[in-house]
Amino acid sequence: MTALALPACSDTSSRELCLACHLPITRVLGGAPTTISQYPILAQLLLDPWATFQYSQHCAGVILTSRHVISTAHCFQYNENTRRNYTQPRYWKVRVGSTYRTRGGVLHRLKNIIPHPEFDKYYFKNDVAVLIVATPFTMYRFVGQATITKPWTEITPNSLCALVGWGATQRGGTQPDQLQHTTMVTVDQQECIMRYNTIGAIIEDSMFCAGNIEMDGIDGCYGDSGGPLIYKGVVVGLVSFGYGCGLRYYPGVYTKLSHFTDWIVKTVSFNK
């Protein structure tokens, strides 16, 4: 997820929206260990930042078909620090079918990365992307296709959702090797708009917030960007940005997939 804090600008997969360097950061705070058999729709996105064949998990994604994964566009941008363009597939690999972020499963090369054409790297508007793998996934118990929300559907405030990923489990901490999950509730849109307005962030209709505004410590964090927020078995959001990690006043902000379902379907159909 990206956060509106000021994270280390070298992290291209933050869930924190960095107003200074315009990069995001994300993780599962307040979570518990789980396994890929519970969430076979989840994919790891491994980045080789210096083109030295040293890949590590930086973002997450959702398996849509045997050839397509959806994630957030902010993961795939030009980086001022490394002077490399991470919209190029050669910097990435996709791991599917593993509970662990450093081993197991099957690695796939990417054929193409298609960020939303109107993605705004400053305010994280239209934060969604479609990825095409070079060879098809083999679907089985640990690798499965997700169901995403129907176009223009809305989720009511206080709906219970699940967040899953390999993001940091403590603010400022390291990422776990084992997959984590947690539960949170959706936040009233006007309440979220009001809170983020205090730091100059824009919450559009194509975004929504989820977290726990009664207590700190439940959130996505560094490494969770692009991962799914799940409501009743349906993927309704992708980890996008936030202010810090686990701050109750600033719940995490998610890409509202129902605003992009038509674009996703069209993009998939034209990019096999």
Side-chain angles (χ1 to χ4, degrees):
M1 196 188 311
T2 302
L4 284 164
L6 300 180
C9 296
S10 60
D11 186 339
T12 61
S13 65
S14 288
R15 175 231 145 192
E16 306 194 357
L17 173 56
C18 172
L19 292 181
C21 60
H22 312 303
L23 291 177
I25 315 173
T26 327
R27 84 330 190 178
V28 176
L29 286 186
T34 186
T35 64
I36 199 68
S37 61
Q38 300 299 309
Y39 301 97
I41 65 171
L42 197 62
Q44 297 179 35
L45 305 183
L46 282 62
L47 176 64
D48 174 20
W50 297 101
T52 57
F53 301 101
Q54 300 294 314
Y55 291 88
S56 61
Q57 187 266 332
H58 272 249
C59 285
V62 176
I63 299 170
L64 199 58
T65 78
S66 63
R67 294 291 299 270
H68 301 87
V69 172
I70 55 174
S71 186
T72 42
H74 76 250
C75 291
F76 311 99
Q77 299 297 310
Y78 178 81
N79 185 285
E80 294 287 350
N81 295 324
T82 65
R83 297 184 180 181
R84 294 175 187 271
N85 184 0
Y86 297 128
T87 61
Q88 297 179 13
R90 67 190 181 96
Y91 291 106
W92 296 90
K93 286 187 179 180
V94 177
R95 189 198 306 274
V96 295
S98 179
T99 296
Y100 303 98
R101 70 183 295 267
T102 59
R103 64 192 190 275
V106 180
L107 291 173
H108 290 256
R109 292 182 297 107
L110 280 180
K111 176 183 177 182
N112 199 5
I113 298 170
I114 307 172
H116 193 284
E118 296 179 19
F119 170 66
D120 182 333
K121 67 180 181 180
Y122 296 99
Y123 293 101
F124 290 84
K125 300 176 184 178
N126 306 304
D127 193 10
V128 62
V130 172
L131 319 178
I132 301 96
V133 292
T135 55
F137 302 130
T138 298
M139 300 295 180
Y140 70 117
R141 186 163 65 99
F142 298 147
V143 182
Q145 293 175 264
T147 300
I148 64 172
T149 187
K150 295 179 181 179
W152 308 110
T153 56
E154 299 287 341
I155 302 177
T156 57
N158 299 311
S159 295
L160 193 64
C161 297
L163 173 66
V164 57
W166 290 272
T169 55
Q170 296 180 13
R171 193 175 306 136
T174 58
Q175 292 180 240
D177 195 37
Q178 184 170 350
L179 185 63
Q180 306 283 308
H181 65 165
T182 190
T183 56
M184 58 184 65
V185 297
T186 53
V187 176
D188 178 79
Q189 190 78 347
Q190 294 306 313
E191 179 73 14
C192 188
I193 290 171
M194 180 274 293
R195 294 183 180 213
Y196 273 96
N197 185 58
T198 63
I199 54 172
I202 297 173
I203 304 299
E204 296 206 324
D205 289 344
S206 58
M207 309 168 180
F208 70 98
C209 294
N212 186 337
I213 60 175
E214 302 301 325
M215 62 181 290
D216 290 341
I218 306 248
D219 200 359
C221 200
Y222 310 101
D224 286 327
S225 288
L229 191 72
I230 303 166
Y231 174 68
K232 294 185 176 180
V234 176
V235 179
V236 295
L238 299 176
V239 176
S240 183
F241 71 90
Y243 185 80
C245 294
L247 302 177
R248 58 183 163 182
Y249 193 81
Y250 297 105
V253 183
Y254 296 79
T255 300
K256 187 184 293 184
L257 276 186
S258 63
H259 277 237
F260 301 101
T261 306
D262 290 338
W263 177 81
I264 291 169
V265 170
K266 182 179 179 180
T267 302
V268 166
S269 65
F270 282 96
N271 295 273
K272 299 297 186 181

